[in-house]
Structure formats: C-alpha cells, structure tokens
Amino acid sequence: DKGNHRHFMAKEIHEQPEVVGRTLAHYVDMAGGRVALPEALPFDFAKLSRLSITACGTAYYAGLVARYWFESLARLPVDIDVASETRYREAPLEADGLTLVISQSGETADTLASLRYARSQGQHTLSIVNVPTSTIARESSAMLPTLAGPEIGVASTKAFSCQLTVLLCLAIHAGRARGVLDPARERALIDALITVPGLMAEALTREGEIEGLAREVSKARDVLYLGRGTSYPMALEGALKLKEISYIHAEGYAAGELKHGPIALIDESVPVIVIAPHDGVFEKTVSNMQEVAARGGRIVLIGDAQGAAEHGLDTLATVTMPDLDPVVAPIVYAVPIQQLAYHTAVFMGKDVDQPRNLAKSVTVE
Ligand code: F6R
C-alpha cells in the first residue's frame, strides 16, 4: 500500500523520520545518554585489531560511511570492499577478527558468500540486516536489525538511512569499548543522534525546491557528484540512485580527486552536485567548487546556510539542509539525495519502483 504517495519509493523516503526514530529507540538508552545494543555481542571490540566490512551497492556505501565513524570514533582500522570482490580475493583474515556484513534483504549472493568465507577463516561475523529471518541473519554469529520495515521500491532508501543509524550506534559502542569515547563525549553524540528524525522531517520539506531542480537535472546527459569525508560515499550513493532510476549517467568522486581526471568532463552541460555540510573539510570542498565554477560547471550545493553564505560562488541552486552536528550529516543528507533522483526520474516518466534490468534481491552472482 502506497498510502497517498504515487510510488513506494516516495512513501519510503517519507517514512524515514519514523523508521530511523524506531531504529534509534532500539539501540539507544535515551535517558542514560548512551548506546545500549539490544543483545550482547559474542566478541569484544577492545580486542580487535581490525574490522572488515563487506556489502553490495547501497549497503556497501553505508559501510563506506561507517569506515569514517569506526576510524574516528573508535580508532578501529577498517578494510572494506564490495562483496563480489571480497569473496574471491583470498584475503588473509585473522582468526577471532570481525567481519561485518550489511544487507537489506539478507539474501544477496555475493554478500552471503563473503560471510561464509569469513567464517571459514575463523572470523566472528556480525550482520546488519532488514530481514531478520534471512539467510545472512541466520548464518552470522550475531545480527543487528534495521527496523525500516519492508522496503518495496527497488532503489534502497529507508533501509540505507537505518543502516547508517545502526552503524553509527555500533561505532559509538565500539568507541566506548575501546576506551576512546568517555561518557560525556558519548552523551554528546547521543544528543546529536536523537535530533536526527526531526532533522530528516525538516529535510523532507525541501521537496518543492528539489522538484524544480530535478527538471534541470533531467536535461543532463552526465551528472557529477562530489563530496569529502563522509560526504564522499554519499556522493557515490547519490550517483547510484540517479543512474539506477533515471538512467542518466552519473559518477561520484571524492572532491579532491577532481583534478586527477574528472575535471576534464566539466562544461556548462554537466551539473555538479556538491554534498558539503559545514564540517571540518568544507573549505577544502569550496576550493574544488571554485575549480568547477572556473570551467563553467553548474554547481548544485547540498549544504547548509553557513556554507552557502561562505562560498561566494555562483550556483545553479542550493538545497539548504538544517544545521546539525556533522557526525550525523550522512543520515539527514540521504533525504535530498534520494529526492533528487526520485523527482528527476518521475519527471522523465520512468518507472521508479521497477527500474529496468534491476531486481530487489540479487540472489545470483
Ligand atoms: C540500490 C540498491 C542495491 C542494493 C544491493 C544490495 O538502490 O538497492 O544497490 O543496495 O543490491 O542489496 P542488499 O542490501 O539486499 O544486500
């Protein structure tokens, strides 16, 4: 049932404040100001020397965001790869190390094969899944659910933001276990986390602006997405979402990589979507925006009021997100990224819930 929405994808985008809130309530002791995992994990983060993450598609991008969180909040080294590579790489994995797999369906063939490989190496396996009865959930040594509810649209939206939510909670838990986060810092992070459903609701109110912007984007043959830090995987996710439902060619890049090649593509016909909350790397991203502007590129900034006031460049549009603690930015910024892809595809008359050539659950390799 799509409720009063035209597509499941729209419904699922709009459900995010609610399902992220539900997921948070499952992982956070609000009164205590700390993460409280629903069950004890059968390994100790303090004893790990490395975390290996594997997943496919959008779930892989959630893992890429989480790498920044595990490294900065828990000082835990992370390696991460797409599951279709992990399963054949013959990577040496330490016995008693930890492999984390992320999957909405819990049935993705490559992700399952990577999980089985990790087990064969004597690793602990932890899965973050949206379907708790799935094969991946059953075969992992521990499972943390995302409480997104059934996701019908082929393009993943609410499962992604719920994955990010669980991953940030897990990174905070790991940071405490490893003696990196003291109670005051953990409480501050929880304070930021519990504002997220409200911030997502606010982000959803920018839909009218994004619809206007989607008309412009729909005329493009190619679109570039740029970001730094956790906004880099968000750029990858933005490009994936746009290409899978609108069939416009889109690429995501780390903003600092622009001058190493992709800048050659930039001219007036290429919209450049810059994802940049006012965080510690904002100024560095502005210098990349200047490079784009100098070549006639049309910039769309997905950022905040402070950043918009500071950059001083001509832009095609600015999508203004609410002020927030940059640590939670990816969860909130998922909303405009999804809406831009959605409205572009709808404007072009595409079937957003059933894009061509794609299946909801990829159980073959
Ligand atoms: C993109 C999308 C896919 C899935 C990928 C993994 O919108 O939906 O990229 O994220 O096929 O699927 P799961 O998470 O079920 O393992």
Side-chain angles (χ1 to χ4, degrees), residues 6 13 33 67 88 102 134 140 245 297 299 329 349:
R6 265 177 83 185
I13 289 172
R67 171 167 65 180
Y88 298 118
I102 308 161
S134 60
S140 350
I245 59 173
I299 297 167

Side-chain angles (χ1 to χ4, degrees), residues 9 55-61 102-109 111 128 130 136 151 153-157 159-160 163 237 240-241 244-245 358-362:
M9 185 176 174
C56 299
T58 289
Y60 167 67
Y61 295 142
I102 308 161
S103 175
Q104 187 283 127
S105 63
E107 302 295 346
T108 301
T111 309
I128 295 178
N130 197 43
I136 287 174
E151 192 181 62
V154 164
S156 185
T157 54
F160 175 67
Q163 286 161 353
E237 168 64 4
L240 176 65
K241 215 95 293 179
E244 71 180 321
I245 59 173
L358 293 174
K360 183 66 187 159
S361 185
V362 184

Side-chain angles (χ1 to χ4, degrees), residues 246-264:
S246 75
Y247 318 138
I248 295 173
H249 172 240
E251 294 296 331
Y253 274 97
E257 275 289 294
L258 190 65
K259 58 172 92 47
H260 300 287
I263 199 162

Side-chain angles (χ1 to χ4, degrees), residues 9 155 214 217-223 225 238-250 340-356 358:
M9 185 176 174
V217 171
S218 70
K219 295 176 202 152
R221 203 188 60 175
D222 307 286
V223 179
Y225 285 76
L240 176 65
K241 215 95 293 179
L242 184 69
K243 74 185 114 182
E244 71 180 321
I245 59 173
S246 75
Y247 318 138
I248 295 173
H249 172 240
L340 182 58
Y342 172 79
H343 284 293
T344 302
V346 168
F347 185 70
M348 296 171 79
K350 307 298 181 200
D351 182 353
V352 296
D353 282 336
Q354 290 291 338
R356 68 185 184 202
L358 293 174

Side-chain angles (χ1 to χ4, degrees), residues 36-255:
L37 297 184
E39 57 179 306
L41 298 175
F43 55 83
D44 182 355
F45 271 104
K47 299 210 173 87
L48 296 179
S49 57
R50 158 169 308 275
L51 168 64
S52 300
I53 305 179
T54 190
C56 299
T58 289
Y60 167 67
Y61 295 142
L64 280 183
V65 171
R67 171 167 65 180
Y68 292 82
W69 289 332
F70 281 108
E71 293 191 339
S72 64
L73 300 176
R75 306 300 296 153
L76 178 59
V78 172
D79 76 60
I80 170 161
D81 205 352
V82 290
S84 54
E85 289 301 317
T86 305
R87 65 179 292 189
Y88 298 118
R89 257 170 51 215
E90 301 182 45
L93 299 175
E94 257 177 354
D96 292 327
L98 176 63
T99 287
L100 171 63
V101 306
I102 308 161
S103 175
Q104 187 283 127
S105 63
E107 302 295 346
T108 301
D110 285 322
T111 309
L112 176 60
S114 296
L115 168 75
R116 289 175 176 161
Y117 174 75
R119 281 182 59 166
S120 77
Q121 300 288 295
Q123 292 242 306
H124 298 287
T125 52
L126 174 61
S127 60
I128 295 178
V129 294
N130 197 43
V131 182
T133 52
S134 60
T135 313
I136 287 174
R138 279 188 278 110
E139 292 197 16
S140 350
S141 26
M143 183 271 287
L144 296 174
T146 47
L147 304 184
E151 192 181 62
I152 310 292
V154 164
S156 185
T157 54
K158 62 177 181 168
F160 175 67
S161 51
C162 288
Q163 286 161 353
L164 291 176
T165 302
V166 174
L167 286 161
L168 182 49
C169 290
L170 189 63
I172 294 169
H173 169 90
R176 184 206 312 137
R178 294 171 65 79
V180 181
L181 298 180
D182 62 26
R185 175 84 174 111
E186 179 165 1
R187 182 174 284 274
L189 287 162
I190 298 301
D191 286 346
L193 257 176
I194 61 185
T195 63
V196 165
L199 293 169
M200 293 182 100
E202 203 179 326
L204 281 164
T205 66
R206 305 292 189 271
E207 188 148 23
E209 290 159 55
I210 292 175
E211 251 185 286
L213 179 59
R215 283 168 182 263
E216 286 301 312
V217 171
S218 70
K219 295 176 202 152
R221 203 188 60 175
D222 307 286
V223 179
L224 277 183
Y225 285 76
L226 301 178
R228 281 180 185 260
T230 52
S231 298
Y232 163 41
M234 295 306 288
L236 299 174
E237 168 64 4
L240 176 65
K241 215 95 293 179
L242 184 69
K243 74 185 114 182
E244 71 180 321
I245 59 173
S246 75
Y247 318 138
I248 295 173
H249 172 240
E251 294 296 331
Y253 274 97

